[in-house]
Each structure stands twice: as C-alpha cells, then as structure tokens.
Amino acid sequence: MSIRGRLLALAIGGVLPLLIVGLTVLWVVWSEKQNQLNEALEQQAELAAVVFDRWLDAQYQPLRTIASYPPSHLSDSSALEGNLKAVLIHRTHWIDLRVLDASGRVVAIDPAGAENLPSGVAEKLLGEARRGVPDVETDWTRGEGRYLLAVAVPVEGGGAVVARIDGAALNEPLQGITLPERALVTLLDQHRRIIYLSLTAESALGLDLSGVDQLSAINDRNTAVIIKRSSLDGVERVYGLGRVGKTGYVVMVGVPSAILYAFAWRQLMGYAVVGLIVVFCTMTGALLIARSIARPVRLLNFAAEEFGGGNFSARAPTEGQDEMSRLGMNFNAIAERLQKREARFAELDRLKSEFVSTVSHELRTPLTTIKALTRLLMREGLEETKRREYIETISVECDRQIDFVLNLLDLSRIEGGVLRVTHEPVDVDEVISSVVKSEARSAEKRRHELRVEPKPEVPPVCADPKELRRVLSNIIENAIKYTPDGGRIILSACEEDTQVLISVTDNGRGIPPEDMPILFDKFHRGRPAPQSAAMGDGTSNAEFLEDADVSGVGLGLYLGRNVMEQMGGRISVESEVGRGSTFTLHLPLWSDRGCNKPSSEDCAHGQTVAGR
Ligand code: ADP
C-alpha cells in the first residue's frame, strides 16, 4: 500500500468514528425532537378530551337536577313533563328529554310523541344507570351521516333521565380549542365511529374506524400517539389520542407529519450539512496533508530511480525545513559524492585505457627500432662506424626499455607500499655530473644546450644515490622532451639551511597554471601547448607543436615525488607558459648523525607543488 493510501486510510479511520458518533448524535437529537412534538400533540388531544368531557358534564347537569327530584315527583308524569319542557326550551340542540323507570318505560317525555329510543341505546343507558354512572351513547337512527347523542344520568331507585342532543352541538366546544396549524380534530364514539371532524365534510361522519389497528394504542391508556395515513384525504398525519373520561369516546388531534416535523427536520438537515462540511473539510485537509507527505517521497523515489538508471545529475526536491527536505538534502549530498566518484572512475578508466595504449606504444617503438637495426647489422659489408652507431642506439633503446619497465615496477611497489630507499651520504656533484653525462647525447640530438652552472660546491646529502640519479634523469629528460629543439637546460645546486637544492631550469613550453595542482598525479600528462606559445627567449618555434606530442606515460613526476619523499626530501616547481620551467629537488644534508630534517623554508621561488 502506498504512503498516500496509508495516510488516507488513517484519515478515514479517524473520520469514520467521527461520522458514526455524529450520525448517532443526530439520530438521538431527531428522536428526542420527535418525542417532544408527539408529547405536545398528546397534550393537545388530552386538552380536547377534557373540553369534550366538560361539555358532557354541562349536559348532565340539568338531567342531574331532574334525577334528584323526590320519588313522588318522579312518578308524577304531568308534573314532570312541565319540568322537562322548562329544561328543553332553553337548549336549542336538544331534541327531546325523557324520564325512564327501572324497566325502561317512559314516565314522562317532552315533546310529547317523541320517537322511542333505539332499543340498544336504551338498554345500554339503563345498564349504566343501574351502576349509577352517567353515560352517553350515539344514536344513528336518524339516517346516514346524522346522529344524536343520547346522554343519561341515573335516577335513584332505578331508571334514568335521558336527553337526545343533535351532534351539531359539538361544534361549539370543539371548534373553540386552539390547535396547531392545519391540525384536524376528530371525535370517535366508543364504537370508533367518527362523530366529529373539524375539517372534512359531513360525509365522513359515521365512518367506522374500528378496523384501524393503530387505534388499539389508546385501549389501555388515557393518551397515545399514532402515525396514520388518512383514508379520507390520503395525508399522513401524526395523531395525538385522548380518552374522554370513562365514556370510551376518543378525541384525535392530527397534524400532517410533514408539517409537524418540518422545523425539526430542517434543523436536523442543518446539523447534517454542517457535519458533512466538517467531514468534507477533514477529508480535504487529510488529503492535502497526505499529498504534502507523499509528493516529496514520490519525487525522492523518482530521483532515486533516475539516479539508479544512470542519470547522475538527478536530484531530490529540498524545499522547506522538514524531515523530508532534510532527507532530500542527504540524498543529494550522497548523489553529489557518487556523481563525483563516478566521474573519477570514468577519468580513471580513460587514464587506464590511455596508459595501456601508451605502454604498448612505449614498448613497441624501441623494439621496432632495435629489430630494424638488428637487421641492418646482419647485412654483410657494413661499415665499422655504422655498425658501432647501430649497436649504441640499440643499447640506448634497451636502457630506455629497462628504465620504462623499472618505472612500472616502482609504480607497483609504491602502490603496494613496498618501495624502499637507502639513506646514505651522496655527493651531489658526482650525481649531477653522471646524469648530465648520460643525458648529453639526448640533449645533443635535440640541439639543446645542457650545462651545469656554477659548479656545485655543496656538502653531501642524505639520499639513495641510484634513486636520486633516476629522479634527476627523469627531470632532465622532461626538460629535453618539453623544450623545443635548440633550447637551453641549466642545472644548479645550492645549500640552504639544512638542505641542498638541485634545480633544473629549461626555457621550454612551460606548464599551464591549471595543470599545476595535478602535475604530480599518477598518469597525468600535460596537454599540448597553445600554438602561440613561444620559446623561452621570446622567438616562436614552428617545431613546438610537434614537440608537444612527445612520448611518455605520466609516471615520471609521480614516481619522483614518492621517491623524494621516501628519501626525506621533496620536489617543487615553478613555471610560466611559453617561458620555461624550473624543477627543484630538495634534499636533506648528511651529518654525522645521519639525515637532517629538511626545513620548511628554502631558496626555491615560485609555486611549491609537492612534498609539503
Ligand atoms: P611524462 O613525461 O611521461 O608525460 P611525467 O610525469 O614525467 O610524465 O610528466 C608529467 C607531465 O608534466 C608531462 O606530461 C608534461 O606535460 C609536464 N612536464 C614535466 N616536465 C615538464 C617540463 N620541463 N616542461 C613542461 N612540461 C613538463
């Protein structure tokens, strides 16, 4: 899994519980809000039930007055009818009023000739009267959609006073109730038939709701809440139910659920939107953070792949101050070092190839000469002088070969750390004379003037005579090689404090300043001098460029420096392009106690390159 994926999973892992908690809180808030609204509706229904109950009580009141008459008066029909008339005359919605005895027989009635009570209603009312309880029954005998409320109070000793009231009388108390917006009040009788409906037409009156299961919620309670879609207008409403005293009547206050819960729902949606915005912001933030971490890792990885693929200039981004930028910096530092090392390896590879070809060349050229001269020598009738000349040349070429091979051997000794030199008193004059003598012929061939001045009068130095000769020879050979024909090579020696300095000065092509720091490096070979370069004495020389392309493998100075250091000395050089160079060997003086330590100051001028 990528870093980005992991960080994203971490963010989701953090947000998910937040989301679950948020949803749970929303659900709890929503449920509580719903409960509050439902309770409020229940209270409304309870209030409406009380209003209806009080109205009923008001209807019972005149009946109670009549029922409280003494038995003698209650059995006097003519007297009673006068009382009944007096009551009825003030009550516009009352249809009739009667007194029944215990067997249900009408003792008195007003208006006279009013129809009989339906038998079921009469039985129910008398039954309740026997139990001493006032009662109300719905009388539907008037026809479809019309009903009367038969209310009765018991008479002591049996019987009941019964009044029948037009259902329209209910409008007055029930319409006076203050209700929520678009609320619907419904009154059901004990048979769950609608006897009052505040909004819909009268056609709904008498509608039988006994089959509605939800209504059973009020069966053993005084109040309840149900949600039901109306069969009349198809609107889903939340109904608060309130039982009307002991009558079995039920008042229903219904509000369309869309209206009742609208505000709470909007609030809930508001919370949900805020929650979603928080989740969105958190996720966006997490994404941005994940990106800010993953991006440098990706770029670093890209840089590493590029680098691994061979693009050594590939670098990681390092913006900022955080760990990633520090990682990038460290990567870049390593890449920098590896790039340099790679360049060095490439350079070494180039040098090695160059070395192999130079060595082959250095070996082949003299061998070719020797072979050619040997053939000439085998001819008969060769002049004695020619013969001698050829043999000498062969001898010189053999010496060069031996020197060359010895150089290679020295190189391997130095590399293996096993180069050993002796420390003994060496006569400088003798060394200089012998080397000059052996190089005289080469110098002569190039028409160089090779001389020593003034005659060295210096004390013996502490050195390995053989090695000193080789180092000095190489320096003189270089002077011969890198000085155009007809040049001047001067040797000198002087004593300086605890050292003797042997200098070789030529008026050759000189060394460019940028080559100075690497002059003594292994396999370093100088580039050909520019065309405008002039002889040390200021005259330009046409052969100069050809001379620049001289043989050599770039080992002489490297070996010389190492050998000189082994002997306790060093080599310094000063040079100017086009004017010439001076190489100086610094050697410790020989004393009775052995080698003197060389002092740091000496009489050489110019740039000191090696040995310090
Ligand atoms: P080689 O002579 O085989 O090239 P050296 O180690 O002796 O190797 O010399 C290294 C380089 O130093 C030479 O290639 C040359 O460019 C430069 N050099 C040495 N001596 C002189 C000199 N006297 N004048 C000019 N350049 C010199």
Side-chain angles (χ1 to χ4, degrees):
M1 199 181 194
S2 67
I3 290 185
R4 197 175 174 171
R6 281 183 217 184
L7 289 170
L8 218 63
L10 186 71
I12 291 170
V15 167
L16 212 61
L18 208 76
L19 207 67
I20 292 169
V21 170
L23 286 175
T24 313
V25 169
L26 278 184
W27 175 248
V28 169
V29 168
W30 169 242
S31 305
E32 270 183 16
K33 204 77 195 167
Q34 261 188 328
N35 284 344
Q36 280 174 10
L37 291 166
N38 292 351
E39 272 172 27
L41 208 58
E42 253 181 301
Q43 282 169 8
Q44 290 282 346
E46 201 176 4
L47 195 72
V50 169
V51 168
F52 179 63
D53 203 26
R54 286 212 183 128
W55 178 82
L56 263 186
D57 207 45
Q59 310 311 308
Y60 290 144
Q61 213 47 56
L63 303 187
R64 282 198 186 102
T65 310
I66 295 169
S68 63
Y69 292 161
S72 56
H73 190 81
L74 283 174
S75 55
D76 182 353
S77 302
S78 53
L80 264 179
E81 273 167 12
N83 293 128
L84 297 183
K85 197 179 288 292
V87 170
L88 204 57
I89 203 157
H90 296 295
R91 286 167 173 79
T92 47
H93 290 294
W94 286 34
I95 306 299
D96 54 32
L97 181 60
R98 70 195 71 195
V99 177
L100 302 176
D101 67 10
S103 64
R105 189 181 61 83
V106 177
V107 179
I109 188 163
D110 187 80
E115 68 216 45
N116 286 337
L117 288 174
S119 61
V121 173
E123 273 167 31
K124 179 76 179 19
L125 291 175
L126 281 171
E128 288 299 310
R130 261 177 237 122
R131 295 200 290 128
V133 181
D135 192 22
V136 57
E137 280 294 317
T138 321
D139 173 4
W140 292 97
T141 52
R142 278 289 169 106
E144 198 57 26
R146 297 222 34 214
Y147 68 95
L148 299 174
L149 282 177
V151 292
V153 297
V155 174
E156 209 172 315
V161 184
V162 180
R164 288 200 301 171
I165 305 166
D166 191 340
L170 286 177
N171 286 341
E172 190 195 333
L174 293 177
Q175 276 177 356
I177 302 170
T178 316
L179 292 170
E181 188 197 351
R182 287 188 58 191
L184 175 70
V185 178
T186 313
L187 184 59
L188 306 178
D189 66 10
Q190 56 270 75
H191 307 293
R192 300 293 181 256
R193 276 172 309 187
I194 297 176
I195 58 169
Y196 175 82
L197 199 61
S198 62
L199 288 184
T200 11
E202 292 212 340
S203 59
L205 292 180
L207 197 70
D208 189 352
L209 299 184
S210 57
V212 177
D213 290 344
Q214 288 106 312
L215 290 176
S216 59
I218 193 76
N219 283 355
D220 48 359
R221 300 174 58 188
N222 284 332
T223 58
V225 170
I226 61 168
I227 297 177
K228 161 179 170 332
R229 190 169 293 281
S230 166
S231 55
L232 293 171
D233 57 10
V235 176
E236 187 192 79
R237 288 188 177 82
V238 184
Y239 290 93
L241 308 183
R243 181 188 289 279
V244 183
K246 294 190 171 66
T247 60
Y249 281 51
V250 172
V251 179
M252 293 168 60
V253 177
V255 178
S257 48
I259 291 178
L260 184 70
Y261 298 142
F263 180 71
W265 184 248
R266 275 202 300 277
Q267 229 177 13
L268 189 79
M269 284 298 116
Y271 292 147
V273 167
V274 170
L276 281 178
I277 289 173
V278 169
V279 168
F280 176 76
C281 290
T282 313
M283 284 306 290
T284 309
L287 266 176
L288 288 177
I289 293 171
R291 192 168 171 273
S292 72
I293 296 174
R295 190 171 166 273
V297 172
R298 213 175 52 245
L299 292 177
L300 181 63
N301 190 32
F302 177 71
E305 275 174 8
E306 280 283 295
F307 198 86
N311 175 9
F312 296 112
S313 59
R315 294 290 181 274
T318 55
E319 306 106 47
Q321 297 289 321
D322 56 4
E323 291 86 345
M324 284 315 299
S325 69
R326 281 204 292 282
L327 187 61
M329 281 180 212
N330 289 337
F331 173 85
N332 288 350
I334 294 169
E336 199 78 37
R337 279 206 296 279
L338 286 177
Q339 189 180 18
K340 278 190 188 147
R341 197 171 293 180
E342 188 63 27
R344 181 82 187 124
F345 284 155
E347 175 66 7
L348 283 177
D349 215 37
R350 190 186 64 74
L351 288 174
K352 192 186 77 190
S353 310
E354 205 176 289
F355 172 71
V356 170
S357 86
T358 312
V359 167
S360 323
H361 177 76
E362 288 288 310
L363 289 173
R364 200 187 60 212
T365 311
L367 284 177
T368 315
T369 312
I370 292 168
K371 187 161 184 191
L373 292 177
T374 320
R375 276 215 188 105
L376 288 175
L377 281 174
M378 283 193 290
R379 283 189 189 164
E380 286 181 13
L382 193 68
E383 283 175 25
E384 183 55 25
T385 47
K386 282 280 178 199
R387 197 180 63 82
R388 278 188 161 281
E389 188 188 326
Y390 292 165
I391 290 173
E392 265 176 41
T393 309
I394 288 171
S395 165
V396 167
E397 291 301 337
C398 282
D399 286 347
R400 279 189 198 285
Q401 287 280 40
I402 290 165
D403 269 0
F404 180 63
V405 173
L406 284 176
N407 275 350
L408 289 181
L409 277 174
D410 278 353
L411 172 68
S412 77
R413 280 200 203 109
I414 288 169
E415 300 284 278
V418 291
L419 178 76
R420 296 284 173 264
V421 293
T422 60
H423 293 90
E424 51 192 279
V426 178
D427 183 344
V428 175
D429 184 26
E430 199 184 299
V431 170
I432 290 177
S433 303
S434 72
V435 173
V436 165
K437 200 172 159 196
S438 68
E439 297 298 336
R441 198 174 155 71
S442 311
E444 222 175 86
K445 268 190 178 172
R446 302 283 308 271
R447 290 182 282 111
H448 289 319
E449 180 190 353
L450 174 65
R451 59 186 160 84
V452 185
E453 72 175 23
K455 186 172 161 42
E457 285 179 2
V458 289
V461 293
C462 172
D464 181 325
K466 210 171 109 218
E467 292 298 337
L468 180 58
R469 250 183 228 111
R470 281 186 60 206
V471 174
L472 191 59
S473 286
N474 182 61
I475 286 183
I476 295 173
E477 275 164 25
N478 278 352
I480 295 170
K481 276 197 293 188
Y482 302 112
T483 300
D485 287 1
R488 197 171 52 240
I489 299 158
I490 315 275
L491 275 85
S492 66
C494 69
E495 184 186 350
E496 177 95 13
D497 295 332
T498 55
Q499 302 177 81
V500 165
L501 312 182
I502 305 171
S503 302
V504 179
T505 303
D506 63 55
N507 63 343
R509 72 187 202 193
I511 300 162
E514 62 270 22
D515 277 2
M516 285 299 208
I518 51 170
L519 194 66
F520 290 83
D521 281 4
K522 184 168 43 175
F523 302 130
H524 165 74
R525 298 224 60 218
R527 288 158 294 168
Q531 206 153 8
S532 60
M535 290 275 288
D537 54 10
T539 59
S540 72
N541 191 317
E543 289 172 89
F544 185 73
L545 282 176
E546 286 161 33
D547 285 349
D549 190 20
V550 292
S551 61
V553 286
L555 277 179
L557 291 181
Y558 171 76
L559 295 176
R561 182 189 67 176
N562 278 280
V563 169
M564 284 300 290
E565 282 173 0
Q566 290 269 329
M567 292 192 298
R570 62 189 177 87
I571 305 179
S572 66
V573 61
E574 58 178 22
S575 181
E576 196 178 332
V577 174
R579 299 203 76 83
S581 317
T582 298
F583 282 82
T584 306
L585 305 183
H586 301 240
L587 288 154
L589 282 174
W590 175 262
S591 73
D592 297 340
R593 281 172 285 138
C595 288
N596 278 328
K597 252 187 122 191
S599 82
S600 56
E601 293 299 322
D602 56 51
C603 59
H605 306 290
Q607 187 177 356
T608 301
V609 175
R612 283 195 177 177

